[in-house]
């Protein structure tokens, strides 16, 4: 069986990182993905797709992306359900990201600089 999804869309809000009780990074985002055709009114409509990212993909997305960032996501469709606080069964369909690409160009935030170690810098040759 094949279960593969490829999406290109914009984040609908700033990502908010969470961690599981085991310490794994998880990020739930919604991508606004334009449809390929116009409505009867002449406008392009969009679908809003829930995507779940884990570990490094989640951490990097939360670090370098914000509302409006363009992402490419390759993943798989997954369904799940749970009972909410009112006892109603809630069904969720989401894309679990397996690959994430930032398509906006340079990140909006610089990478954190590595701490300097003066002992190592003294040992390096100067050119």
């Amino acid at each position: 069986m094949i279960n593969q999804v490829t999406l290109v869309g914009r984040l609908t809000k700033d990502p908010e990182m969470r961690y599981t009780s085991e310490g794994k990074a998880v990020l739930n985002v919604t991508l606004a993905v334009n449809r390929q055709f116009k409505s009867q009114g002449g406008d392009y409509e969009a679908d809003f797709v829930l995507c779940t990212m884990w570990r490094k993909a989640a951490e990097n997305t939360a670090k370098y992306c914000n509302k409006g960032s363009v992402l490419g996501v390759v993943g798989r469709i997954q369904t799940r359900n749970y009972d909410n606080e009112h006892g109603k069964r809630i069904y969720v369909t989401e894309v679990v990201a397996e690959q994430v690409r930032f398509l906006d160009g340079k990140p909006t935030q610089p990478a954190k600089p590595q701490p300097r170690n003066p002992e190592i810098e003294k040992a390096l040759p100067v050119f």
Side-chain angles (χ1 to χ4, degrees):
M1 302 296 171
I2 297 173
N3 182 357
Q4 185 172 15
V5 176
T6 303
L7 301 170
V8 174
R10 292 188 181 275
L11 290 178
T12 60
K13 64 179 186 176
D14 290 339
E16 296 179 21
M17 175 68 66
R18 294 182 302 118
Y19 291 89
T20 66
S21 57
E22 294 86 27
K24 293 179 185 174
V26 62
L27 181 64
N28 292 312
V29 298
T30 301
L31 281 184
V33 181
N34 287 338
R35 293 183 179 170
Q36 297 297 314
F37 52 88
K38 293 181 180 180
S39 67
Q40 288 182 342
D43 298 323
Y44 286 102
E45 294 180 358
D47 293 301
F48 297 88
V49 182
L50 177 63
C51 299
T52 301
M53 301 172 191
W54 291 91
R55 299 178 184 83
K56 272 296 191 194
E59 291 171 349
N60 288 335
T61 302
K63 182 176 179 180
Y64 292 112
C65 298
N66 50 32
K67 179 179 178 177
S69 295
V70 180
L71 298 182
V73 175
V74 176
R76 60 185 166 80
I77 297 248
Q78 179 174 292
T79 59
R80 58 186 169 90
N81 62 69
Y82 63 93
D83 294 328
N84 69 8
E85 62 273 1
H86 303 294
K88 183 179 177 186
R89 172 104 354 142
I90 304 295
Y91 294 91
V92 179
T93 301
E94 62 194 341
V95 173
V96 178
E98 294 169 355
Q99 297 177 25
V100 178
R101 298 284 184 259
F102 306 150
L103 303 177
D104 272 336
K106 292 189 177 184
T108 57
Q109 298 176 350
K112 289 184 179 179
Q114 296 296 320
R116 295 172 56 121
N117 186 336
E119 292 180 18
I120 292 177
E121 289 179 1
K122 288 179 189 175
L124 294 175
V126 177
F127 296 100

